[in-house]
């Protein structure tokens, strides 16, 4: 009984580390943080994404200029993952939704799945092979960014594709004054 519980806990930890690896890819792409992006892949990893087939580093060199030229901001949002563990190898299928706010203010939304083979080497899980399966896309009508007209909205930081983004701020602090629009003054 204890051995079964230990095995389940070990599997949970492996799956958690794999999900963190998958999240590093998305965060690295959205923040244009090459080190975070590459930390999700082994140096010898292969990728097939849209028209690109090659190394993870070469994919970065192709994708970042494309996103820089095309979008103001991107969100590579991960949904559910199915992870099959087999010793030091794992296969994961992760659903995603991509949203890009294009430079012309239009929106590009696409969805699909990343199908990955991950390997544990030196006690770390990273992607060894990724195949990107794009299943749908659309261009919905754009709308203004909610609350963009609030005078002090940017005091805690604004979205950036670099370490100026609020997600890098340590410690995170609030610079805005208290406000409750639903409560009479």
């Amino acid at each position: 009984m204890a051995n079964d519980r230990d095995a389940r806990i070990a599997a949970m930890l492996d799956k958690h580390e794999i999900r963190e690896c998958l999240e590093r890819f998305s965060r690295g792409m959205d923040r244009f943080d090459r080190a975070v992006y590459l930390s999700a892949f082994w140096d010898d990893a292969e990728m097939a994404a849209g028209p690109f087939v090659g190394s993870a580093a070469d994919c970065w060199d192709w994708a970042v200029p494309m996103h820089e030229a095309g979008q103001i901001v991107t969100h590579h949002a991960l949904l559910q993952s199915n992870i099959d563990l087999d010793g030091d190898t794992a296969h994961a299928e992760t659903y995603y939704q991509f949203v890009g706010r294009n430079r012309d203010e239009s929106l590009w939304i696409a969805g699909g799945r990343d199908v990955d083979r991950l390997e544990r080497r030196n006690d770390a899980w990273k992607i060894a092979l990724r195949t990107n399966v794009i299943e749908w896309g659309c261009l919905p009508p754009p709308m203004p960014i909610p609350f963009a007209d609030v005078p002090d909205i940017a005091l805690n930081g604004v979205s950036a594709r670099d370490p100026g983004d609020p997600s890098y701020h340590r410690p995170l602090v609030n610079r805005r004054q208290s406000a409750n629009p639903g409560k009479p003054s």
Side-chain angles (χ1 to χ4, degrees):
M1 186 71 137
N3 285 343
D4 180 54
R5 180 178 171 83
D6 291 345
R8 290 192 338 245
I9 290 171
M12 284 177 29
L13 290 172
D14 285 339
K15 289 180 179 185
H16 176 75
E17 290 172 15
I18 288 168
R19 285 187 181 97
E20 285 184 331
C21 170
L22 301 174
E23 291 164 1
R24 288 194 306 271
F25 162 83
S26 292
R27 183 165 199 268
M29 283 303 306
D30 291 336
R31 300 284 63 82
F32 283 6
D33 190 324
R34 182 181 172 92
V36 170
Y37 165 90
L38 287 176
S39 75
F41 297 93
W42 291 112
D43 290 342
D44 60 348
E46 296 177 89
M47 282 189 70
F52 177 86
V53 179
S55 73
D58 287 345
C59 186
W60 171 271
D61 295 338
W62 166 74
V64 168
M66 177 186 62
H67 284 309
E68 177 65 34
Q71 289 89 36
I72 298 165
V73 67
T74 58
H75 289 182
H76 290 78
L78 303 182
L79 304 172
Q80 75 269 15
S81 288
N82 297 300
I83 301 169
D84 294 323
L85 297 169
D86 185 12
D88 290 334
T89 301
H91 287 84
E93 172 195 46
T94 305
Y95 287 70
Y96 71 85
Q97 287 184 351
F98 165 83
V99 180
R101 182 172 154 218
N102 297 321
R103 295 214 172 265
D104 67 1
E105 293 297 327
S106 66
L107 299 174
W108 174 23
I109 301 177
R113 293 170 292 130
D114 288 320
V115 181
D116 297 310
R117 185 183 79 237
L118 299 103
E119 295 175 0
R120 178 175 32 209
R121 303 178 193 169
N122 302 319
D123 208 32
W125 285 102
K126 294 185 183 186
I127 299 167
L129 174 65
R130 166 163 283 183
T131 295
N132 174 249
V133 181
I134 304 168
E135 298 179 310
W136 60 272
C138 65
L139 294 169
M143 297 176 61
I145 295 175
F147 305 114
D149 59 340
V150 174
D152 70 343
I153 198 79
L155 289 180
N156 286 341
V158 296
S159 178
R161 291 169 148 175
D162 58 42
D165 187 81
S167 65
Y168 289 88
H169 295 177
R170 300 291 186 270
L172 182 64
V173 296
N174 177 46
R175 293 182 173 90
R176 297 179 65 202
Q177 295 297 314
S178 293
N180 183 343
K183 185 176 178 182
S185 338

